[in-house]
Amino acid sequence: MRVTILGCTGGVAANLRTTCLMLDDDILVDVGTGAGDLTLAEMLRINTVFLTHSHLDHVGLLPMVADMVGPRRERPLTVYALAETIAILKQDMFNFRLWPDYTVLPSSDNPYVVFRPVTVGQSVDLSGRMITPLPARHAVPGVGYQLDSGKASFVFSGDTTYHEPFWNTLNSISNLRFLMIETTFLNHNVVGAEASGHMRPELLAQGLKQLNKPVQLLITHMEPGNEDATMAEIQAAAGEFKPERLKRGQIFEF
């Protein structure tokens, strides 16, 4: 399996792109602005999308991707997400006001988008690639994902603050190799992090102390403009894990 990082920032500016991962060449995990760098040919190869939660920096280009590829595809784009996330997108995005409802267009029998609900801990098997929703705690319902090739696993936290069930689940993954985890706020912003359900370096370090195995630690979703300061705080709190600042365009094979 191969993960390509199309977007990994907490905001947009110049060359910054919000969260979007491509698994092999036919699956997206979240559809932030990073999806906009795909060519039309690349978009047409995407058959499946997994969403972590409903916030725009993670789903904002989903309706536009559907609009681009829908008329050119013979089958719908299958979108997996929590039932709560699906309900939000149906009410607030695919509602004929913000965007056409491509779950019933061009017809209910042949739509551009089909939603499929996921449940934490229940894996989706796509040709031997196991994608498993993981527990998360955010301002809206959300999940992380374990991407398991059989040989190794790549875990993406989604947006989450410190959440003990998440770390307990990581300890149960025997082939864990990569951990891509958000750290949005600096340590001083305790109130903002708590209110929004985001991680700070101190909270990241708290979770890492519970981890019973080595990982390649990849930091994502930092506030634009605060990346260097955030990485310095992460280094001070959890330098033994050799944290890396994730970059758009990086590829991880496992």
Side-chain angles (χ1 to χ4, degrees):
M1 290 169 70
R2 180 183 69 255
V3 167
T4 303
I5 307 300
L6 302 179
C8 55
T9 66
V12 293
N15 293 321
L16 303 182
R17 305 287 189 272
T18 66
T19 303
C20 186
L21 288 65
M22 184 167 65
L23 178 59
D24 295 330
D25 62 358
D26 61 332
I27 299 171
L28 294 182
V29 180
D30 283 343
V31 198
T33 61
D37 289 330
L38 294 172
T39 65
L40 178 56
E42 290 170 330
M43 285 186 189
L44 286 168
R45 287 196 286 269
I46 302 299
N47 296 316
T48 312
V49 173
F50 288 84
L51 300 178
T52 59
H53 65 291
S54 60
H55 282 160
L56 276 178
D57 55 328
H58 294 254
V59 305
L61 287 198
L62 175 61
M64 297 180 189
V65 170
D67 192 69
M68 288 293 294
V69 304
R72 299 170 173 87
R73 291 174 54 88
E74 295 182 356
R75 57 175 172 161
L77 186 67
T78 301
V79 180
Y80 290 91
L82 287 173
E84 297 94 328
T85 302
I86 294 170
I88 292 169
L89 295 181
K90 286 280 289 181
Q91 176 177 314
D92 297 332
M93 179 177 281
F94 294 102
N95 57 11
F96 291 108
R97 297 183 300 277
L98 189 68
W99 206 256
D101 185 356
Y102 284 139
T103 68
V104 297
L105 291 177
S107 72
S108 57
D109 293 330
N110 186 34
Y112 290 165
V113 173
V114 172
F115 282 118
R116 296 282 184 261
V118 299
T119 302
V120 169
Q122 294 189 0
S123 301
V124 178
D125 185 347
L126 295 177
S127 302
R129 299 167 295 180
M130 304 299 291
I131 294 90
T132 306
L134 304 182
R137 183 164 70 90
H138 192 39
V140 295
V143 293
Y145 285 106
Q146 174 191 359
L147 314 176
D148 187 355
S149 69
K151 296 185 298 182
S153 284
F154 183 110
V155 165
F156 170 42
S157 69
D159 281 6
T160 185
T161 186
Y162 172 80
H163 190 44
E164 188 169 348
F166 173 78
W167 296 99
N168 291 340
T169 301
L170 292 188
N171 283 331
S172 71
I173 299 174
S174 60
N175 64 356
L176 180 62
R177 182 180 300 173
F178 300 102
L179 173 57
M180 174 181 170
I181 190 162
E182 74 116 298
T183 310
T184 301
F185 289 115
L186 292 167
N187 281 325
H188 72 81
N189 196 351
V190 175
V191 173
E194 179 61 27
S196 60
H198 281 298
M199 199 82 75
R200 298 179 291 111
E202 289 175 349
L203 296 177
L204 174 61
Q206 181 181 344
L208 290 170
K209 287 177 181 177
Q210 298 177 231
L211 196 59
N212 62 13
K213 61 195 67 185
V215 293
Q216 186 169 342
L217 182 63
L218 310 169
I219 306 301
T220 187
H221 207 277
M222 292 181 285
E223 283 188 302
N226 287 337
E227 295 95 341
D228 290 343
T230 304
M231 286 303 302
E233 290 191 349
I234 294 171
Q235 184 66 34
E240 65 272 21
F241 282 88
K242 299 180 180 179
E244 304 174 34
R245 175 181 172 181
L246 198 61
K247 296 179 182 178
R248 181 165 62 102
Q250 282 185 280
I251 298 173
F252 301 91
E253 297 189 1
F254 54 100

